[in-house]
Amino acid sequence: MHNLTTVTEFLLTRFSDVWEFRVLHAMLFLLMYLATLMGNLLIVTVITFNWKLHTPMYFFIRNLSVLDMCYISVTVPKACVIFLLDNRAISMAGCAAQIFLVVAFATVELLFLTIMAHDCYVAICQPLHYSVIMNPQVCVQMTLASVLSGLAFSGFHTGSTFWLPFCQSNMVHQFFCDIPSLLKLSCSDTLNNEILIFISSVVIDGGCLAFIIMSYTHIFSTVLKFPTRGEQGKAFSTCVPHILVMTIFLSSAAAVYMKPTSSSPTIQDMINAVFYSIVPPFLNPIIYSLRNKQIKESVKRIIRRNLYSGKR
C-alpha cells in the first residue's frame, strides 16, 4: 500500500495569536536558545583545550553539550519564525526532518544521561576499578552505540508515522512537528502506531529510568558512608540536580507521547513539549558543568588570559 496523501504541508500552532504575546514568546525562546548555545559552546571549548579535563566524565559532558546545541536548534529557530511571521507553514519534508531529528536527539540525550549516571556510579562506588571499566575505548563505543540506537529508533518511528495517509486537517497543534500531533491528523487507524510508541517508550524510557534509579540508589548508599558531612553534601548537591533534570525530561515527554491520540489537544501539551525539548538543553550546562569547580576554574583562566592579552 502506498502512502497517498492530499496534505502537502502542515500549519504549526502558536501559544497565542495576540501580537504582544507572540513577540514575548519569541524573545523568551530566543534568549533561552542563545543562552543554551553560549553555555554549551563554552563547555565544549574549555574541555577540548584543557588536557586536564580529558577524562571519561568530561568526555560525556562534552558530548552532551554538542548534542544539546543540535537538539534545541531543531525546534526553537522555526518556532521563533512562526511566532513573529504570519506564515506558519512547514513542508512535509521539513516536518519529517523535525520529527526524525527531535526523536533521535531526545533518545540519544536520554542514553547519554543514563551513561553519565553509570559513570558517576563507577567513580563513587568502584573508584579503584574506574580506569578499567570506563576506559577510552568503552566510552567511545557507548557513545557510538547511543547515537546509532537513537538514529535507528527515530528512523523507525518517523517512517511508520509518514506511511500513514493525511487527508484531514493539516493543523498541527504544537509549535513543532511531533508524532502524537501528526497521528491525530491521519485518516486511517493509528492504533498500531500508538501501541508501538507505548511499548518502545516503556522499554527505552523505563529501562533507562530503572538503570538510573539503581545507579543513584547505590551512589546514595555509598555517600552516606562518607566520614564527613561536607563530602556527603557535595555528592548530594551534584546528584540531586541530575535527578531533577531527568524527572522533568521523562515526565514531560511521557505526558506528550503516552497520551491517547483520541484526546483533544490542549495548551498543556505545548507546555510539556517545552519541558522536554528546550528546558533540558538549557539547564544541562548549568547543572552538569558550570557548577563544576574544575570547569569554572578553566573558564576563569580563559577570561583572565583574554583580558591580559587585550591589555597588551
Side-chain angles (χ1 to χ4, degrees):
M1 177 179 177
H2 294 286
N3 183 14
L4 300 176
T5 175
T6 58
V7 175
T8 58
E9 65 178 17
F10 297 101
L11 297 178
L12 301 176
T13 303
R14 306 185 187 102
F15 286 92
S16 173
D17 287 328
V18 179
W19 172 248
E20 289 78 9
F21 287 126
R22 286 164 56 183
V23 173
L24 176 62
H25 296 153
M27 291 298 296
L28 289 174
F29 271 46
L30 184 61
L31 287 173
M32 292 182 71
Y33 179 60
L34 294 176
T36 301
L37 291 184
M38 290 172 61
N40 283 295
L41 186 59
L42 179 63
I43 290 163
V44 171
T45 303
V46 168
I47 293 176
T48 300
F49 291 101
N50 188 344
W51 62 269
K52 293 181 180 178
L53 301 181
H54 291 181
T55 63
M57 181 180 74
Y58 293 106
F59 172 77
F60 291 120
I61 288 176
R62 182 174 58 181
N63 291 343
L64 184 67
S65 292
V66 173
L67 177 69
D68 282 338
M69 287 190 287
C70 298
Y71 186 18
I72 199 169
S73 296
V74 177
T75 56
V76 173
K78 181 63 177 178
C80 290
V81 170
I82 68 167
F83 292 160
L84 295 176
L85 302 182
D86 291 331
N87 184 11
R88 297 183 291 123
I90 183 171
S91 65
M92 182 76 74
C95 189
Q98 262 199 339
I99 287 181
F100 175 79
L101 292 173
V102 166
V103 175
F105 290 145
T107 305
V108 177
E109 173 114 356
L110 176 59
L111 295 173
F112 276 1
L113 292 175
T114 305
I115 293 171
M116 291 170 72
H118 176 67
D119 176 74
C120 188
Y121 158 74
V122 177
I124 293 176
C125 302
Q126 300 180 13
L128 298 179
H129 302 287
Y130 182 78
S131 59
V132 176
I133 297 174
M134 301 301 295
N135 66 71
Q137 185 178 1
V138 170
C139 293
V140 172
Q141 288 173 349
M142 287 193 291
T143 300
L144 289 176
S146 299
V147 172
L148 293 176
S149 298
L151 293 174
F153 179 80
S154 179
F156 173 76
H157 283 289
T158 303
S160 62
T161 299
F162 280 88
W163 185 254
L164 297 170
F166 299 103
C167 50
Q168 296 187 27
S169 168
N170 67 339
M171 179 72 71
V172 177
H173 291 280
Q174 192 59 269
F175 63 91
F176 64 92
C177 285
D178 68 346
I179 293 175
S181 299
L182 258 65
L183 292 183
K184 297 179 190 296
L185 305 181
S186 176
C187 49
S188 65
D189 184 19
T190 61
L191 179 61
N192 289 337
N193 295 71
E194 292 181 59
I195 292 174
L196 286 173
I197 290 173
F198 180 82
I199 293 174
S200 58
S201 298
V202 169
V203 171
I204 295 179
D205 296 359
C208 288
L209 180 61
F211 190 87
I212 289 169
I213 290 173
M214 287 191 295
S215 296
Y216 280 114
T217 300
H218 288 296
I219 289 170
F220 288 148
S221 63
T222 302
V223 167
L224 289 174
K225 298 175 185 177
F226 286 177
T228 62
R229 288 190 176 182
E231 292 178 332
Q232 293 178 359
K234 182 180 178 181
F236 280 121
S237 67
T238 301
C239 295
V240 170
H242 297 185
I243 298 173
L244 179 62
V245 170
M246 283 297 304
T247 302
I248 293 173
F249 181 60
L250 287 176
S251 59
S252 57
V256 172
Y257 278 84
M258 301 186 78
K259 183 179 179 181
T261 57
S262 57
S263 59
S264 300
T266 63
I267 191 68
Q268 186 62 45
D269 295 332
M270 297 177 67
I271 295 173
N272 287 334
V274 171
F275 278 99
Y276 81 79
S277 64
I278 298 176
V279 172
F282 174 73
L283 290 180
N284 281 340
I286 301 170
I287 290 176
Y288 284 95
S289 303
L290 297 181
R291 294 173 68 253
N292 183 285
K293 183 179 178 181
Q294 288 179 285
I295 287 185
K296 285 194 292 187
E297 289 177 351
S298 297
V299 171
K300 289 177 182 177
R301 281 198 297 270
I302 291 174
I303 294 173
R304 283 197 298 265
R305 190 181 303 127
N306 289 336
L307 290 174
Y308 177 74
S309 300
K311 290 179 180 179
R312 292 180 63 185

